[in-house]
Amino acid sequence: AAGVIQSPRHLIKEKRETATLKCYPIPRHDTVYWYQQGPGQDPQFLISFYEKMQSDKGSIPDRFSAQQFSDYHSELNMSSLELGDSALYFCASSPPGLTTGANVLTFGAGSRLTVL
Amino acid sequence: AQSVTQLGSHVSVSEGALVLLRCNYSSSVPPYLFWYVQYPNQGLQLLLKYTSAATLVKGINDFEAEFKKSETSFHLTKPSAHMSDAAEYFCAVSGRAVQNEKLTFGTGTRLTIIP
């Protein structure tokens, strides 16, 4: 079965640089979520998109922005990178409608960002 | 807002012993509850979910969890631990009011299996 695809898997950047992470959801999933997981931390919700519109916003820094495109893939743009941005960034997707009574998120393998 | 609390950031059990990972939730209405597992350097994999159809939920790899409203708990158990169960386990919660509701995770429990 197709899964959530994230790219790149690993990324190394210098402070103050810019990084872009991409997420390709499971086919026919219409909602994408971004999470940030620092070392030894639980995943923290950043932002989500439903049908290409922002649907919810969490603890996403103003230096970060994201969008969902017409093919439902999403990109997370991070500017003026700081050392503290080093983390594992997860994308997840969920299908349309509450078919099972709960919104089940399927996660990608993550993109590991290291800021030097 | 919903939240979950995982009791014990590290749990060690012997191979073949019972695994018990604790999770308590806080919500004004019964939420949806989930357990995810994360193996080293990998993504989050769904173990099981509670959606109010049954209070005892069976998941993959012989894991199960029981929803207890009176105790606001959703503890994860497995009768006999395998070495391959060593991983980080996250309890998560979402609400019922909004379609496409996000997940909120607990702080995680690292499970170590002693040979």
Side-chain angles (χ1 to χ4, degrees), chain A residues 2 12 22 31 39 43 57 65 71 76 79 88-89 98 108 111:
Chain A
I12 299 175
K22 296 184 178 182
T31 305
K57 190 174 181 180
S65 65
D71 63 352
L76 177 66
S79 62
L88 196 53
Y89 290 83
L98 296 174
S111 293

Side-chain angles (χ1 to χ4, degrees), chain A residues 40-43, chain B residues 4-10 22 35 88-91 105-111:
Chain A
Q41 303 294 314
D42 55 293
Chain B
V4 286
T5 301
Q6 292 183 241
L7 302 175
S9 58
H10 292 84
R22 301 176 186 274
W35 276 99
E88 186 89 19
Y89 291 80
F90 291 97
C91 182
F105 288 89
T107 51
T109 298
R110 182 169 299 277
L111 177 64

Side-chain angles (χ1 to χ4, degrees), chain B residues 50-58 65-69 73-74:
Chain B
Y50 166 74
T51 61
S52 75
T55 56
L56 182 62
V57 181
K58 294 187 183 298
E66 186 171 8
F67 174 77
K68 291 186 176 180
K69 184 177 178 181
S73 68
F74 190 58

Side-chain angles (χ1 to χ4, degrees), chain A residues 1-76:
Chain A
V4 177
I5 306 298
Q6 292 188 244
S7 68
R9 291 294 310 279
H10 301 274
L11 191 60
I12 299 175
K13 291 286 185 178
E14 300 279 343
K15 281 196 318 183
R16 292 179 288 278
E17 285 191 322
T18 297
T20 297
L21 306 180
K22 296 184 178 182
C23 170
Y24 296 86
I26 292 173
R28 291 179 293 282
H29 281 200
D30 57 4
T31 305
V32 169
Y33 311 76
W34 286 99
Y35 283 79
Q36 178 191 58
Q37 186 180 30
Q41 303 294 314
D42 55 293
Q44 293 291 317
F45 173 71
L46 294 178
I47 196 167
S48 62
F49 292 87
Y50 167 66
E51 285 291 344
K52 291 150 280 185
M53 299 288 289
Q54 180 181 309
S55 59
D56 198 357
K57 190 174 181 180
S59 50
I60 184 169
D62 292 340
R63 300 176 289 106
F64 292 11
S65 65
Q67 58 181 322
Q68 185 179 31
F69 295 85
S70 57
D71 63 352
Y72 293 98
H73 94 273
S74 177
E75 295 184 4
L76 177 66

Side-chain angles (χ1 to χ4, degrees), chain B residues 26-68:
Chain B
S26 174
S27 177
S28 55
V29 296
Y32 296 127
L33 293 161
F34 308 79
W35 276 99
Y36 280 82
V37 60
Q38 183 177 30
Y39 297 102
N41 298 315
Q42 293 189 29
L44 295 153
Q45 180 182 3
L46 179 68
L47 275 178
L48 48 80
K49 62 182 186 289
Y50 166 74
T51 61
S52 75
T55 56
L56 182 62
V57 181
K58 294 187 183 298
I60 62 172
N61 300 335
D62 295 327
F63 281 96
E64 63 181 37
E66 186 171 8
F67 174 77
K68 291 186 176 180

